[in-house]
Amino acid sequence: MALLDGKVAVITGGANGIGLAIAQKFAAEGATPVIADMKAPAEGNFFFVETNVTQPASLTNLVDQVVAKYGHIDVLVANAGITEHKGPVSQLDEENWNAVINVDLNGVVLTNKYVVAQIEKQGTPASVINTSSILGVVGAANSQAYSAAKAGVANVALFLASNLSTALTGAVINADGGYTAQKGKSWRDVDSHQLFLIKKVPQGAPLNRFGWLESTNGTRLNHLMALL
């Protein structure tokens, strides 16, 4: 018997990167991943629901479609996010700030709201995993909107943990030090900002190094299994 047999897992931002890696590992462990994203994944045979995490109507549609197809939701991975335009605060791109906060923070909160409401209706144990970042804890030069959003996500997990319904077994955030280029990729192949992060950020990370997409799925799965 696989670790996640029979579990339906909704993964926002699951079309690529960390989200897709999570979906693939969950599927390998017997779960039924649902990809909620703005576009369908280029690989894998997953149920896909086009979803904008900043729009309540879109999230309501996501929940309705998943429940109509599978009858229940057991796991939420609120992972959708976008990147920021980096620079000194005096040159802050206000439009980009608002967009990043809207997706990376507000989107997590709204996704939690609508999916947890369904979980509470079910009255069965479930898990919520919200993807934060080490940049929500340590500073990085010229990172404003992303760092602020991820710090907010970390605190969302705290208020979830202190206000959990009896239906939820737990809430987990990721602060493993970040995920960047694929394992084995030369540092010469990454841009200057990634190189700064690779050199500086791991000093404040729990793993004392960066994670890789190859290890992302296992890390998230271990977190999840501690809650089920």
Side-chain angles (χ1 to χ4, degrees):
M1 179 178 177
L3 291 173
L4 299 178
D5 275 348
K7 304 295 183 183
V8 176
V10 173
I11 304 167
T12 67
N16 52 50
I18 293 172
L20 182 58
I22 294 169
Q24 290 168 335
K25 181 61 176 181
F26 279 18
E29 293 293 345
T32 300
V34 175
I35 302 298
D37 209 323
M38 299 290 283
K39 62 179 182 179
E43 55 185 282
N45 185 26
F46 302 112
F47 181 51
F48 167 71
V49 181
E50 184 176 347
T51 305
N52 182 337
V53 296
T54 70
Q55 300 297 318
S58 185
L59 290 164
T60 298
N61 175 65
L62 167 64
V63 172
D64 289 347
Q65 287 207 42
V66 175
V67 173
K69 187 171 180 67
Y70 298 113
H72 56 97
I73 299 172
D74 304 296
V75 182
L76 167 63
V77 183
N79 173 73
I82 61 174
T83 57
E84 66 184 343
H85 297 165
K86 298 184 185 301
V89 69
S90 59
Q91 299 173 26
L92 178 69
D93 182 331
E94 295 175 34
E95 183 177 353
N96 180 250
W97 168 278
N98 290 332
V100 171
I101 295 295
N102 202 26
V103 175
D104 294 14
L105 177 56
N106 297 345
V108 170
V109 175
L110 288 174
T111 303
N112 277 233
K113 174 184 176 179
Y114 288 95
V115 175
V116 169
Q118 170 59 34
I119 289 169
E120 288 178 337
K121 262 189 231 179
Q122 296 166 186
T124 53
S127 295
V128 174
I129 301 174
N130 293 328
T131 303
S132 183
S133 169
I134 193 65
L135 289 185
V137 181
V138 302
N142 298 324
S143 176
Q144 286 113 22
Y146 185 83
S147 293
K150 293 304 184 179
V153 170
N155 278 279
V156 167
L158 296 179
F159 77 63
L160 275 177
S162 62
N163 294 280
L164 287 175
S165 72
T166 54
L168 286 174
T169 56
V172 172
I173 61 167
N174 161 53
D176 295 319
Y179 295 83
T180 182
Q182 291 182 351
K183 188 175 183 180
K185 188 173 182 180
S186 169
W187 302 142
R188 291 172 296 189
D189 296 330
V190 302
D191 62 32
S192 59
H193 176 69
Q194 282 184 309
L195 189 57
F196 166 80
L197 293 177
I198 288 164
K199 288 180 177 179
K200 300 296 184 183
V201 171
Q203 297 171 12
L207 290 179
N208 201 34
R209 63 171 175 78
F210 268 82
W212 309 100
L213 291 184
E214 290 90 338
S215 63
T216 303
N217 43 33
T219 300
R220 294 294 193 301
L221 184 63
N222 290 338
H223 286 167
L224 175 61
M225 294 313 301
L227 298 175
L228 292 180

